[in-house]
């Protein structure tokens, strides 16, 4: 690290093990080597900070390393779902499809890691188990499951919002004699379901992407659906040479737009209310966007996520589409989402999802009407019937946004754990820092747009903000930065106020923590919009990190 960086760290102590030089002190430890961790490492190294990345996986890629289920691909257009920090990287990388597959995204991230020589500072197959703040030294002690114990002035959580996979605690769960899989921990060698009877539990994005493909392999597929979900067609296709060229020429303009629009995505946003146009006009607009494919349906009108009556018009439209695609009216009826407004759970983007229920080898099981009672040695038993299967796929989601953070024993001031601090729901300032946890940063943490945005855009914004912050501390010879309780309280109140002005709280979604029994019901992301949020973060920094306490001594007040 740069010597002039006063208070940033002492000279790291070094030792040599097995011919490899090791050190036990860094300016920053970064946890996770996905989109966020890779870019954070690149930025910090560029500024002369020493950094070590710990990654639980045997390879880099984060969510794209783990989620290898059939059909896994991005639901943000690949050109937009990529880093913007390097013009050269952007010019040399060629996406092949409108929505990139998981293998292609993983290849991209490997290319980034190679191109920027990131691997020497990444330790794979190492799970961070604990991070403890040392108040006397203003630094973090980080421990791993491989026995590492290192200190770092800054600890950056790049652990992802959807990385703590969740399998429901069914009675008899371990008694099943066949194979079980979770979409978020898919075997790297792949799974061939040919000739098998398969159960898929869950119809969120992962289920909706994998079901059409598993259906083409399985002798019979049983889809266990608790909540019918809204899905729109991807209309995926190879990227045309024209689209690629347009992006190469205009990417700077597009990137800048993405940083300012509400969701960080470039789909067209209408300026009209759904209620101010005629039913015909509304229908035409929804139809146009359905044909375009992807989440652009959400931009049809301004009020879809704030006005139930407006939202109902989009719901009706999708219902009519489902009825048009699914031939059996009874099955179509079961697939109609009615319990939540459209978009208040993540809008899914699919290829042939609803049409899959026209196949003879696919059965939809409504487990809201007939819940799963137990997993048996041969399959599943609902209150209505017994299903014999060879494999069970859990597409049952994640302990989102807080799970990966709280799974690590993170202790801030006075030994208080993050889990204790967040017992009633996550509390952060700007979604980046937490009062009582100095020098700990949470990339796309709860209270930031994160999962409601193009993650690539939000990750870059957080990483850049953190990098500037560390530079500022170095320049001003400050040792610690910590969110004040007042600023945190005001931010949490703001996040809640903005969230409560929308329809999101009406859904039992993972955004609300509703998918985890006992988790507090709090709307966790910030729905104020990517552009607005960025401006707020920039203002805070421009005002000398307003709402944060900076200290050059051991203890921040
Ligand atoms: O998980 P989910 P996911 N009994 O939580 C059901 C991102 N992602 O992995 O709705 C029966 O959405 C549950 O039912 P219910 C994206 O942000 C992106 O699919 O709780 N069913 C639901 O149907 C996404 O939102 C991409 O009633 C149970 C399903 O399991 C997020 O990851 C691709 C159950 C879980 O759906 C998570 O998606 C994939 C139980 N006990 C994921 N417990 C793309 O980029 C849960 N369920 C395209």
């Amino acid at each position: 690290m740069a010597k002039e960086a006063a208070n940033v760290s002492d000279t790291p102590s070094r030792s040599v093990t097995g011919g490899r030089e090791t050190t036990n002190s860094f300016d920053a430890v970064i946890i996770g080597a996905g989109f966020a961790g890779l870019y954070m490492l690149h930025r910090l190294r560029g500024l002369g900070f020493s950094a070590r990345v710990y990654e639980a996986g045997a390879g880099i890629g984060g969510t794209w390393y783990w989620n290898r289920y059939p059909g896994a691909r991005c639901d943000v257009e690949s050109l937009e779902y990529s880093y913007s920090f390097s013009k050269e990287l952007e010019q040399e990388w060629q996406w092949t499809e409108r929505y990139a597959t998981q293998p292609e995204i993983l290849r991209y991230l490997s290319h980034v890691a190679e191109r920027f020589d990131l691997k020497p500072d990444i330790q794979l197959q190492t799970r961070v188990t604990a991070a403890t703040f040392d108040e006397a030294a203003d630094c973090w002690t980080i421990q791993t499951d491989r026995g590492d114990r290192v200190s770092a002035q800054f600890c950056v959580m790049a652990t992802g919002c959807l990385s703590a996979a969740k399998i429901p605690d069914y009675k008899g769960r371990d008694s099943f004699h066949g194979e079980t899989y979770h979409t978020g921990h898919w075997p790297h060698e792949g799974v061939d379901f040919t000739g098998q009877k398969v159960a898929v539990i869950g119809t969120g994005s992962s289920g909706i992407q994998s079901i059409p493909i598993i259906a083409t392999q399985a002798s019979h597929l049983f889809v266990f659906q608790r909540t019918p979900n809204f899905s729109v067609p991807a209309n995926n296709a190879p990227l045309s040479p024209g689209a690629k060229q347009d992006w190469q020429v205009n990417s700077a303009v597009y990137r800048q737009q993405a940083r300012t629009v509400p969701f960080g995505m470039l789909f067209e946003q209408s300026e009209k209310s759904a209620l101010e146009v005629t039913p015909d006009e509304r229908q035409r607009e929804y139809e146009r966007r359905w044909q375009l494919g992807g989440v652009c349906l959400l931009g049809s009108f301004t009020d879809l996520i704030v006005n139930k009556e407006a939202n109902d018009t989009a719901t009706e439209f999708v219902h009519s589409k489902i009825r048009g695609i699914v031939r059996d009216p009874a099955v179509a009826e079961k697939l109609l989402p009615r319990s939540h407004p459209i978009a208040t759970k993540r809008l899914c983007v699919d290829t042939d999802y609803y049409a899959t229920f026209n196949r003879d080898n696919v059965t939809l099981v409504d487990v809201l009407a007939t819940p799963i009672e137990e997993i048996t040695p041969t399959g599943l038993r609902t209150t209505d019937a017994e299903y014999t299967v060879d494999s069970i796929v859990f597409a049952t989601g994640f302990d989102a946004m807080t799970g990966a953070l709280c799974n690590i024993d993170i202790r801030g001031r006075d030994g208080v754990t993050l889990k204790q601090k967040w017992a009633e729901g996550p509390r952060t300032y700007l979604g980046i820092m937490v009062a009582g946890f100095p020098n700990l940063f949470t990339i796309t943490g709860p209270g930031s747009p994160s999962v409601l945005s193009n993650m690539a855009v939000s990750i870059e914004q957080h990483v850049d903000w953190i990098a500037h912050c560390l530079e500022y501390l170095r320049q001003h010879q400050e040792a610690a930065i910590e969110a004040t309780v007042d600023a945190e309280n005001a931010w949490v109140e703001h996040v809640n106020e903005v969230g409560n002005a929308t329809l999101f709280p009406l859904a039992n979604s993972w955004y609300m923590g509703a998918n985890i029994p006992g988790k507090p019901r709090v709307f966790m992301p910030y729905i104020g919009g990517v552009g607005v949020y960025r401006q707020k973060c920039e203002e805070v920094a421009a005002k000398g990190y307003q709402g944060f306490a900076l200290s050059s001594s051991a203890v921040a007040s």
Side-chain angles (χ1 to χ4, degrees), residues 64 69 73-75 162 166 168 170 183 201-207 209 226-227 345-346 367 395-398 510 515:
W64 299 106
Y69 58 83
R73 63 171 78 235
C74 192
D75 58 3
L162 293 153
K166 184 206 95 179
Y170 293 117
T183 49
I201 306 176
T203 52
S205 302
S206 306
Q209 285 188 331
R226 186 165 68 182
T227 308
K345 285 186 169 209
R346 173 82 169 203
V367 295
T396 44
F398 302 86
W510 57 256
N515 64 329

mmCIF file of all heavy atoms in Angstrom, residues 64 69 73-75 162 166 168 170 183 201-207 209 226-227 345-346 367 395-398 510 515, ligand 1:
data_model
loop_
_atom_site.group_PDB
_atom_site.id
_atom_site.type_symbol
_atom_site.label_atom_id
_atom_site.label_comp_id
_atom_site.label_asym_id
_atom_site.label_seq_id
_atom_site.Cartn_x
_atom_site.Cartn_y
_atom_site.Cartn_z
ATOM 1 N N TRP A 64 -23.033 -16.063 -10.153
ATOM 2 C CA TRP A 64 -22.916 -16.727 -11.452
ATOM 3 C C TRP A 64 -22.007 -17.938 -11.384
ATOM 4 O O TRP A 64 -21.900 -18.716 -12.334
ATOM 5 C CB TRP A 64 -22.469 -15.729 -12.526
ATOM 6 C CG TRP A 64 -23.484 -14.643 -12.650
ATOM 7 C CD1 TRP A 64 -23.369 -13.352 -12.208
ATOM 8 C CD2 TRP A 64 -24.808 -14.764 -13.189
ATOM 9 N NE1 TRP A 64 -24.534 -12.672 -12.443
ATOM 10 C CE2 TRP A 64 -25.432 -13.502 -13.050
ATOM 11 C CE3 TRP A 64 -25.529 -15.806 -13.781
ATOM 12 C CZ2 TRP A 64 -26.739 -13.259 -13.472
ATOM 13 C CZ3 TRP A 64 -26.825 -15.569 -14.202
ATOM 14 C CH2 TRP A 64 -27.419 -14.308 -14.048
ATOM 15 N N TYR A 69 -28.204 -23.719 -12.653
ATOM 16 C CA TYR A 69 -29.364 -24.566 -12.980
ATOM 17 C C TYR A 69 -29.710 -24.422 -14.457
ATOM 18 O O TYR A 69 -29.340 -23.420 -15.105
ATOM 19 C CB TYR A 69 -30.551 -24.180 -12.083
ATOM 20 C CG TYR A 69 -30.971 -22.743 -12.191
ATOM 21 C CD1 TYR A 69 -31.811 -22.308 -13.208
ATOM 22 C CD2 TYR A 69 -30.511 -21.790 -11.285
ATOM 23 C CE1 TYR A 69 -32.186 -20.983 -13.328
ATOM 24 C CE2 TYR A 69 -30.880 -20.459 -11.386
ATOM 25 C CZ TYR A 69 -31.719 -20.062 -12.413
ATOM 26 O OH TYR A 69 -32.072 -18.747 -12.543
ATOM 27 N N ARG A 73 -30.052 -17.588 -16.752
ATOM 28 C CA ARG A 73 -29.523 -16.464 -17.538
ATOM 29 C C ARG A 73 -30.007 -15.173 -16.912
ATOM 30 O O ARG A 73 -30.899 -15.166 -16.072
ATOM 31 C CB ARG A 73 -29.896 -16.563 -19.017
ATOM 32 C CG ARG A 73 -31.356 -16.509 -19.336
ATOM 33 C CD ARG A 73 -31.619 -16.382 -20.845
ATOM 34 N NE ARG A 73 -31.487 -17.622 -21.590
ATOM 35 C CZ ARG A 73 -30.682 -17.773 -22.640
ATOM 36 N NH1 ARG A 73 -29.941 -16.769 -23.064
ATOM 37 N NH2 ARG A 73 -30.646 -18.922 -23.293
ATOM 38 N N CYS A 74 -29.406 -14.104 -17.355
ATOM 39 C CA CYS A 74 -29.698 -12.807 -16.770
ATOM 40 C C CYS A 74 -31.054 -12.291 -17.253
ATOM 41 O O CYS A 74 -31.474 -12.596 -18.361
ATOM 42 C CB CYS A 74 -28.594 -11.862 -17.202
ATOM 43 S SG CYS A 74 -28.644 -10.366 -16.292
ATOM 44 N N ASP A 75 -31.739 -11.508 -16.407
ATOM 45 C CA ASP A 75 -32.988 -10.900 -16.873
ATOM 46 C C ASP A 75 -32.811 -9.403 -17.156
ATOM 47 O O ASP A 75 -33.787 -8.689 -17.368
ATOM 48 C CB ASP A 75 -34.148 -11.166 -15.907
ATOM 49 C CG ASP A 75 -33.881 -10.649 -14.509
ATOM 50 O OD1 ASP A 75 -32.830 -10.023 -14.287
ATOM 51 O OD2 ASP A 75 -34.740 -10.860 -13.634
ATOM 52 N N LEU A 162 -28.416 -12.268 -2.822
ATOM 53 C CA LEU A 162 -29.175 -13.516 -2.996
ATOM 54 C C LEU A 162 -28.196 -14.673 -3.023
ATOM 55 O O LEU A 162 -28.027 -15.349 -4.035
ATOM 56 C CB LEU A 162 -29.989 -13.434 -4.294
ATOM 57 C CG LEU A 162 -31.099 -12.382 -4.254
ATOM 58 C CD1 LEU A 162 -31.428 -11.860 -5.636
ATOM 59 C CD2 LEU A 162 -32.335 -12.927 -3.580
ATOM 60 N N LYS A 166 -31.916 -21.179 0.524
ATOM 61 C CA LYS A 166 -32.874 -21.582 1.555
ATOM 62 C C LYS A 166 -33.677 -22.802 1.091
ATOM 63 O O LYS A 166 -34.294 -22.777 0.028
ATOM 64 C CB LYS A 166 -33.806 -20.391 1.784
ATOM 65 C CG LYS A 166 -34.805 -20.551 2.870
ATOM 66 C CD LYS A 166 -36.006 -19.672 2.599
ATOM 67 C CE LYS A 166 -37.060 -20.448 1.915
ATOM 68 N NZ LYS A 166 -38.296 -19.805 1.577
ATOM 69 N N PRO A 168 -36.754 -25.130 2.528
ATOM 70 C CA PRO A 168 -37.721 -25.174 3.630
ATOM 71 C C PRO A 168 -37.513 -26.411 4.503
ATOM 72 O O PRO A 168 -37.088 -27.464 4.016
ATOM 73 C CB PRO A 168 -39.078 -25.225 2.920
ATOM 74 C CG PRO A 168 -38.819 -24.724 1.543
ATOM 75 C CD PRO A 168 -37.414 -25.081 1.221
ATOM 76 N N TYR A 170 -38.940 -28.990 5.606
ATOM 77 C CA TYR A 170 -40.046 -29.946 5.524
ATOM 78 C C TYR A 170 -39.792 -31.130 6.446
ATOM 79 O O TYR A 170 -38.652 -31.573 6.585
ATOM 80 C CB TYR A 170 -40.178 -30.494 4.094
ATOM 81 C CG TYR A 170 -40.610 -29.490 3.078
ATOM 82 C CD1 TYR A 170 -39.773 -29.144 2.026
ATOM 83 C CD2 TYR A 170 -41.866 -28.895 3.156
ATOM 84 C CE1 TYR A 170 -40.168 -28.223 1.072
ATOM 85 C CE2 TYR A 170 -42.272 -27.974 2.200
ATOM 86 C CZ TYR A 170 -41.414 -27.643 1.173
ATOM 87 O OH TYR A 170 -41.810 -26.734 0.240
ATOM 88 N N THR A 183 -31.403 -24.740 -6.674
ATOM 89 C CA THR A 183 -30.971 -24.022 -7.883
ATOM 90 C C THR A 183 -29.720 -23.167 -7.635
ATOM 91 O O THR A 183 -28.917 -22.967 -8.545
ATOM 92 C CB THR A 183 -32.102 -23.119 -8.402
ATOM 93 O OG1 THR A 183 -32.607 -22.354 -7.302
ATOM 94 C CG2 THR A 183 -33.218 -23.931 -9.026
ATOM 95 N N ILE A 201 -39.909 -27.544 -6.745
ATOM 96 C CA ILE A 201 -40.675 -26.782 -5.754
ATOM 97 C C ILE A 201 -40.255 -25.325 -5.882
ATOM 98 O O ILE A 201 -39.078 -24.998 -5.726
ATOM 99 C CB ILE A 201 -40.403 -27.266 -4.316
ATOM 100 C CG1 ILE A 201 -40.645 -28.772 -4.201
ATOM 101 C CG2 ILE A 201 -41.274 -26.490 -3.326
ATOM 102 C CD1 ILE A 201 -40.301 -29.342 -2.818
ATOM 103 N N GLY A 202 -41.226 -24.448 -6.182
ATOM 104 C CA GLY A 202 -40.924 -23.021 -6.268
ATOM 105 C C GLY A 202 -41.068 -22.487 -7.671
ATOM 106 O O GLY A 202 -40.613 -23.109 -8.644
ATOM 107 N N THR A 203 -41.731 -21.354 -7.764
ATOM 108 C CA THR A 203 -41.971 -20.732 -9.072
ATOM 109 C C THR A 203 -41.586 -19.255 -9.047
ATOM 110 O O THR A 203 -42.337 -18.388 -9.479
ATOM 111 C CB THR A 203 -43.450 -20.915 -9.493
ATOM 112 O OG1 THR A 203 -44.289 -20.474 -8.421
ATOM 113 C CG2 THR A 203 -43.769 -22.361 -9.827
ATOM 114 N N GLY A 204 -40.393 -18.974 -8.486
ATOM 115 C CA GLY A 204 -39.792 -17.650 -8.627
ATOM 116 C C GLY A 204 -38.954 -17.649 -9.902
ATOM 117 O O GLY A 204 -39.081 -18.538 -10.758
ATOM 118 N N SER A 205 -38.048 -16.683 -10.025
ATOM 119 C CA SER A 205 -37.240 -16.563 -11.256
ATOM 120 C C SER A 205 -36.492 -17.855 -11.573
ATOM 121 O O SER A 205 -36.423 -18.271 -12.735
ATOM 122 C CB SER A 205 -36.218 -15.435 -11.120
ATOM 123 O OG SER A 205 -36.850 -14.223 -10.855
ATOM 124 N N SER A 206 -35.931 -18.502 -10.542
ATOM 125 C CA SER A 206 -35.119 -19.704 -10.791
ATOM 126 C C SER A 206 -35.998 -20.847 -11.286
ATOM 127 O O SER A 206 -35.635 -21.554 -12.233
ATOM 128 C CB SER A 206 -34.392 -20.143 -9.515
ATOM 129 O OG SER A 206 -33.637 -19.086 -8.982
ATOM 130 N N GLY A 207 -37.148 -21.048 -10.636
ATOM 131 C CA GLY A 207 -38.069 -22.094 -11.066
ATOM 132 C C GLY A 207 -38.574 -21.810 -12.471
ATOM 133 O O GLY A 207 -38.591 -22.701 -13.341
ATOM 134 N N GLN A 209 -37.284 -20.143 -14.860
ATOM 135 C CA GLN A 209 -36.287 -20.343 -15.919
ATOM 136 C C GLN A 209 -35.966 -21.824 -16.129
ATOM 137 O O GLN A 209 -35.702 -22.251 -17.251
ATOM 138 C CB GLN A 209 -34.982 -19.615 -15.563
ATOM 139 C CG GLN A 209 -35.063 -18.114 -15.754
ATOM 140 C CD GLN A 209 -33.708 -17.455 -15.571
ATOM 141 O OE1 GLN A 209 -32.858 -17.936 -14.830
ATOM 142 N NE2 GLN A 209 -33.505 -16.338 -16.243
ATOM 143 N N ARG A 226 -46.596 -22.596 -4.912
ATOM 144 C CA ARG A 226 -47.329 -22.031 -3.773
ATOM 145 C C ARG A 226 -48.007 -20.727 -4.192
ATOM 146 O O ARG A 226 -49.206 -20.574 -4.061
ATOM 147 C CB ARG A 226 -46.400 -21.812 -2.584
ATOM 148 C CG ARG A 226 -47.149 -21.364 -1.349
ATOM 149 C CD ARG A 226 -46.315 -21.496 -0.099
ATOM 150 N NE ARG A 226 -45.191 -20.565 -0.070
ATOM 151 C CZ ARG A 226 -44.304 -20.529 0.923
ATOM 152 N NH1 ARG A 226 -44.400 -21.372 1.947
ATOM 153 N NH2 ARG A 226 -43.303 -19.673 0.893
ATOM 154 N N THR A 227 -47.202 -19.806 -4.735
ATOM 155 C CA THR A 227 -47.777 -18.534 -5.180
ATOM 156 C C THR A 227 -47.577 -18.403 -6.682
ATOM 157 O O THR A 227 -46.434 -18.393 -7.152
ATOM 158 C CB THR A 227 -47.074 -17.342 -4.488
ATOM 159 O OG1 THR A 227 -47.092 -17.566 -3.075
ATOM 160 C CG2 THR A 227 -47.763 -16.034 -4.811
ATOM 161 N N LYS A 345 -43.530 -8.592 -6.384
ATOM 162 C CA LYS A 345 -42.512 -9.637 -6.299
ATOM 163 C C LYS A 345 -41.721 -9.457 -7.577
ATOM 164 O O LYS A 345 -42.254 -8.957 -8.568
ATOM 165 C CB LYS A 345 -43.135 -11.030 -6.295
ATOM 166 C CG LYS A 345 -43.786 -11.398 -4.974
ATOM 167 C CD LYS A 345 -44.234 -12.848 -5.013
ATOM 168 C CE LYS A 345 -44.618 -13.285 -3.626
ATOM 169 N NZ LYS A 345 -44.409 -14.708 -3.417
ATOM 170 N N ARG A 346 -40.497 -9.906 -7.567
ATOM 171 C CA ARG A 346 -39.662 -9.722 -8.746
ATOM 172 C C ARG A 346 -40.383 -10.241 -9.999
ATOM 173 O O ARG A 346 -40.803 -11.404 -10.034
ATOM 174 C CB ARG A 346 -38.364 -10.498 -8.530
ATOM 175 C CG ARG A 346 -37.456 -10.562 -9.709
ATOM 176 C CD ARG A 346 -36.635 -9.334 -9.819
ATOM 177 N NE ARG A 346 -35.589 -9.514 -10.798
ATOM 178 C CZ ARG A 346 -34.474 -8.805 -10.810
ATOM 179 N NH1 ARG A 346 -34.273 -7.888 -9.881
ATOM 180 N NH2 ARG A 346 -33.577 -8.990 -11.733
ATOM 181 N N VAL A 367 -49.829 -26.022 -4.229
ATOM 182 C CA VAL A 367 -49.570 -26.373 -2.831
ATOM 183 C C VAL A 367 -50.067 -25.302 -1.859
ATOM 184 O O VAL A 367 -49.858 -25.410 -0.654
ATOM 185 C CB VAL A 367 -48.079 -26.720 -2.561
ATOM 186 C CG1 VAL A 367 -47.695 -27.962 -3.317
ATOM 187 C CG2 VAL A 367 -47.153 -25.579 -2.844
ATOM 188 N N ALA A 395 -36.343 -24.875 -5.860
ATOM 189 C CA ALA A 395 -36.156 -23.528 -6.443
ATOM 190 C C ALA A 395 -36.773 -22.549 -5.450
ATOM 191 O O ALA A 395 -37.592 -21.711 -5.790
ATOM 192 C CB ALA A 395 -36.837 -23.455 -7.804
ATOM 193 N N THR A 396 -36.377 -22.741 -4.187
ATOM 194 C CA THR A 396 -37.097 -22.104 -3.081
ATOM 195 C C THR A 396 -36.444 -20.820 -2.575
ATOM 196 O O THR A 396 -36.865 -20.285 -1.548
ATOM 197 C CB THR A 396 -37.232 -23.116 -1.923
ATOM 198 O OG1 THR A 396 -35.990 -23.801 -1.740
ATOM 199 C CG2 THR A 396 -38.318 -24.137 -2.226
ATOM 200 N N GLY A 397 -35.443 -20.329 -3.285
ATOM 201 C CA GLY A 397 -34.971 -18.983 -3.016
ATOM 202 C C GLY A 397 -33.920 -18.855 -1.929
ATOM 203 O O GLY A 397 -33.214 -19.812 -1.591
ATOM 204 N N PHE A 398 -33.853 -17.658 -1.389
ATOM 205 C CA PHE A 398 -32.718 -17.252 -0.556
ATOM 206 C C PHE A 398 -33.184 -16.452 0.666
ATOM 207 O O PHE A 398 -34.247 -15.825 0.629
ATOM 208 C CB PHE A 398 -31.780 -16.356 -1.382
ATOM 209 C CG PHE A 398 -31.276 -17.024 -2.624
ATOM 210 C CD1 PHE A 398 -32.013 -16.986 -3.813
ATOM 211 C CD2 PHE A 398 -30.087 -17.740 -2.608
ATOM 212 C CE1 PHE A 398 -31.568 -17.626 -4.966
ATOM 213 C CE2 PHE A 398 -29.636 -18.392 -3.756
ATOM 214 C CZ PHE A 398 -30.373 -18.333 -4.929
ATOM 215 N N TRP A 510 -39.706 -11.798 -0.894
ATOM 216 C CA TRP A 510 -38.426 -11.798 -0.190
ATOM 217 C C TRP A 510 -37.914 -10.373 0.029
ATOM 218 O O TRP A 510 -37.090 -10.137 0.896
ATOM 219 C CB TRP A 510 -37.401 -12.700 -0.872
ATOM 220 C CG TRP A 510 -37.071 -12.431 -2.317
ATOM 221 C CD1 TRP A 510 -37.497 -13.132 -3.407
ATOM 222 C CD2 TRP A 510 -36.191 -11.419 -2.827
ATOM 223 N NE1 TRP A 510 -36.947 -12.614 -4.558
ATOM 224 C CE2 TRP A 510 -36.145 -11.564 -4.238
ATOM 225 C CE3 TRP A 510 -35.438 -10.401 -2.242
ATOM 226 C CZ2 TRP A 510 -35.388 -10.719 -5.062
ATOM 227 C CZ3 TRP A 510 -34.677 -9.560 -3.055
ATOM 228 C CH2 TRP A 510 -34.666 -9.731 -4.441
ATOM 229 N N ASN A 515 -40.363 -14.552 3.032
ATOM 230 C CA ASN A 515 -40.132 -15.960 2.656
ATOM 231 C C ASN A 515 -39.375 -16.728 3.737
ATOM 232 O O ASN A 515 -39.183 -17.926 3.599
ATOM 233 C CB ASN A 515 -39.358 -16.044 1.327
ATOM 234 C CG ASN A 515 -37.965 -15.449 1.429
ATOM 235 O OD1 ASN A 515 -37.737 -14.523 2.202
ATOM 236 N ND2 ASN A 515 -37.035 -15.970 0.669
HETATM 237 O O1 LIG B 1 -36.380 -17.476 -5.401
HETATM 238 P P1 LIG B 1 -37.803 -16.811 -5.034
HETATM 239 P P2 LIG B 1 -35.657 -17.568 -6.815
HETATM 240 N N1 LIG B 1 -43.247 -24.346 0.050
HETATM 241 O O2 LIG B 1 -37.729 -16.493 -3.576
HETATM 242 C C1 LIG B 1 -41.393 -20.994 -3.244
HETATM 243 C C2 LIG B 1 -32.927 -13.414 -8.568
HETATM 244 N N2 LIG B 1 -32.813 -14.265 -9.727
HETATM 245 O O3 LIG B 1 -34.396 -18.294 -6.606
HETATM 246 O O4 LIG B 1 -43.830 -17.143 -3.501
HETATM 247 C C3 LIG B 1 -43.578 -24.121 -1.218
HETATM 248 O O5 LIG B 1 -38.129 -15.721 -5.957
HETATM 249 C C4 LIG B 1 -41.839 -19.573 -3.247
HETATM 250 O O6 LIG B 1 -43.229 -19.494 -3.030
HETATM 251 P P3 LIG B 1 -43.865 -18.138 -2.392
HETATM 252 C C5 LIG B 1 -34.198 -12.592 -8.690
HETATM 253 O O7 LIG B 1 -33.999 -11.354 -8.085
HETATM 254 C C6 LIG B 1 -32.602 -13.672 -10.906
HETATM 255 O O8 LIG B 1 -36.558 -18.019 -7.839
HETATM 256 O O9 LIG B 1 -42.957 -17.742 -1.244
HETATM 257 N N3 LIG B 1 -42.989 -23.200 -1.977
HETATM 258 C C7 LIG B 1 -41.379 -19.129 -4.630
HETATM 259 O O10 LIG B 1 -42.273 -19.546 -5.604
HETATM 260 C C8 LIG B 1 -35.164 -13.445 -7.931
HETATM 261 O O11 LIG B 1 -36.307 -12.773 -7.460
HETATM 262 C C9 LIG B 1 -32.544 -14.415 -12.022
HETATM 263 O O12 LIG B 1 -45.200 -18.556 -1.967
HETATM 264 C C10 LIG B 1 -42.025 -22.473 -1.418
HETATM 265 C C11 LIG B 1 -40.077 -19.893 -4.779
HETATM 266 O O13 LIG B 1 -40.125 -20.973 -3.879
HETATM 267 C C12 LIG B 1 -34.307 -13.963 -6.818
HETATM 268 O O14 LIG B 1 -33.057 -14.224 -7.418
HETATM 269 C C13 LIG B 1 -32.722 -15.782 -11.969
HETATM 270 C C14 LIG B 1 -41.622 -22.663 -0.089
HETATM 271 C C15 LIG B 1 -38.886 -19.050 -4.432
HETATM 272 O O15 LIG B 1 -38.812 -17.978 -5.309
HETATM 273 C C16 LIG B 1 -34.794 -15.206 -6.154
HETATM 274 O O16 LIG B 1 -35.316 -16.075 -7.142
HETATM 275 C C17 LIG B 1 -32.931 -16.372 -10.742
HETATM 276 C C18 LIG B 1 -42.287 -23.647 0.655
HETATM 277 N N4 LIG B 1 -41.994 -23.850 1.935
HETATM 278 C C19 LIG B 1 -32.980 -15.607 -9.622
HETATM 279 N N5 LIG B 1 -40.632 -21.783 0.181
HETATM 280 C C20 LIG B 1 -32.322 -13.749 -13.310
HETATM 281 O O17 LIG B 1 -31.470 -12.934 -13.502
HETATM 282 C C21 LIG B 1 -40.426 -21.083 -0.940
HETATM 283 N N6 LIG B 1 -41.264 -21.494 -1.899
HETATM 284 C C22 LIG B 1 -33.238 -14.104 -14.344
#
